[in-house]
Amino acid sequence: MPAPRPVTKAVIPAAGLGTRFLPATKASPKEMLPVVDKPAIQYVVEEAVRAGLDDVLMVTGRNKRPLEDHFDRNVELEHALQEKGDLAKLALVHEASQLATVHYVRQGDPKGLGHAVLAAAQHVGDEPFAVLLGDDLIDERDPLLEHMIAVQQREGGSVVALMEVPIEAISLYGCAAIDGPPGDVVRITGLVEKPPADEAPSNLAIIGRYVLSPSVFAVLRQTPPGRGGEIQLTDAIQALIATEPVHGVVFRGRRYDTGDRLDYLKAVIQLAADRDDLGPLLVDWLRGWLTTRG
Ligand code: UTP
């Protein structure tokens, strides 16, 4: 058997409309919302780089300017900080522009996640590649992508990240049917997008990390719009199951869905509470505030 082609590229879809976060997302993508003091998208790019993927393709929509600017140099700001001798802040400004080689492609109409991934076909070519949703944060203390890449290299085909959720919540997610018990790595036998709880084959929800075989592009070209009139990535991966192995890695760590307002607030509080510079003061204040509030 030939050696598997290595995974070197990350695709980050960031072209959704972000309607759950209006009006904040009227003129700026939701991926730019700050989580403590960094935009959500920077956490995602850092995660890709930690997993060894420093070729990043961002799929952008109508508001791509802030994303491009964030990962580019800002010479004026750098100059001002240099003049002031504020080297710590200067390093923060440099960091984002030096993280990775970031490329951009436009999705055009936001016709769904599958359609966004298809926009990456030319850049990715004939290699397996990772997809990281730009509004889904995985805590860096609980590595996931490295593990998924290792499974893809061992098993071939595609790998999807899964998370156990209460069955009442499964209708918010893509859902996986699996062969055998939900261990850490499972063989997926079917996928269905946002099923009602009483029709769901399991409580295993798809979360925003994938390592995909390049065959997904040919399937996506043939995939008609599905649920909500969107071209669903879940439908394309479901079609792949007929010809290639599709595995799931069950994630049991910390994940934050920053596209959802309540989860976003939880992410900001949890991540700030864990920081040395903000945590002690924030937690103290929160305790006091909760007591006075009743
Ligand atoms: P969501 O399902 O969260 O959709 O997309 P959305 O449109 O961004 O947000 P709401 O529901 O209106 O608030 C999941 C991920 O897929 C990307 C989004 O940017 C997000 O990272 N996406 C979605 C695209 O890139 N293109 C699309 O057409 C749809």
Side-chain angles (χ1 to χ4, degrees):
M1 213 171 82
R5 302 196 64 166
V7 181
T8 62
K9 291 176 184 156
V11 173
I12 305 185
L17 293 176
T19 55
R20 284 169 293 166
F21 244 111
L22 283 168
T25 47
K26 184 179 169 196
S28 177
K30 67 176 164 183
E31 289 78 5
M32 283 304 293
L33 289 171
V35 178
V36 190
D37 48 13
K38 244 187 327 194
I41 191 87
Q42 188 174 335
Y43 290 86
V44 177
V45 173
E46 286 171 354
E47 179 190 340
V49 172
R50 274 197 305 278
L53 315 177
D54 57 6
D55 178 331
V56 172
L57 177 72
M58 234 168 252
V59 184
T60 59
R62 68 214 190 290
N63 300 324
K64 75 167 180 171
R65 242 332 258 290
L67 287 163
E68 280 199 350
D69 286 349
H70 185 71
F71 292 100
D72 197 357
R73 300 214 25 210
N74 182 334
V75 179
E76 205 182 7
L77 182 57
E78 287 171 32
H79 183 71
L81 292 169
Q82 187 93 51
E83 292 277 285
K84 280 210 271 173
D86 194 340
L87 300 185
K89 295 218 176 68
L90 184 62
L92 291 176
V93 171
H94 271 149
E95 206 176 282
S97 54
Q98 290 172 346
L99 264 178
T101 311
V102 186
H103 307 269
Y104 300 89
V105 64
R106 283 270 194 168
Q107 184 184 358
D109 276 347
K111 291 193 207 150
L113 180 56
H115 185 250
V117 170
L118 186 54
Q122 195 178 4
H123 183 84
V124 168
D126 194 26
E127 296 170 14
F129 63 104
V131 175
L132 296 86
L133 299 196
D135 58 350
D136 212 342
L137 303 195
I138 300 294
D139 197 301
E140 67 171 287
R141 295 163 291 186
D142 303 320
L144 167 64
L145 193 57
E146 292 85 336
H147 188 193
M148 294 174 69
I149 292 172
V151 172
Q152 196 284 331
Q153 295 285 286
R154 192 176 68 225
E155 308 284 350
S158 297
V159 180
V160 174
L162 301 173
M163 185 182 76
E164 290 185 279
V165 299
I167 195 73
E168 320 79 75
I170 196 71
S171 60
L172 300 171
Y173 297 89
C175 173
I178 61 165
D179 209 11
D184 288 344
V185 179
V186 294
R187 178 78 184 234
I188 295 180
T189 55
L191 291 173
V192 43
E193 186 60 26
K194 300 192 170 78
D198 55 355
E199 287 170 26
S202 76
N203 69 337
L204 289 169
I206 303 175
I207 56 172
R209 298 294 178 271
Y210 308 79
V211 181
L212 298 176
S213 142
S215 339
V216 75
F217 295 125
V219 178
L220 278 169
R221 283 189 194 100
Q222 308 293 326
T223 304
R227 215 176 183 288
E230 297 194 336
I231 298 176
Q232 299 287 353
L233 184 59
T234 308
D235 293 346
I237 304 173
Q238 157 68 27
L240 278 181
I241 295 174
T243 52
E244 292 186 354
V246 177
H247 285 87
V249 168
V250 181
F251 181 64
R252 298 193 167 86
R254 287 159 282 194
R255 164 190 178 258
Y256 316 98
D257 174 5
T258 62
D260 174 79
R261 287 172 305 171
L262 184 58
D263 255 30
Y264 169 80
L265 293 171
K266 289 183 194 168
V268 173
I269 291 172
Q270 288 180 71
L271 291 171
D274 287 344
R275 285 217 342 209
D276 293 340
D277 57 344
L278 297 167
L281 287 172
L282 175 67
V283 172
D284 248 15
W285 173 80
L286 265 177
R287 278 209 186 93
W289 182 71
L290 284 173
T291 353
T292 53
R293 199 173 171 270

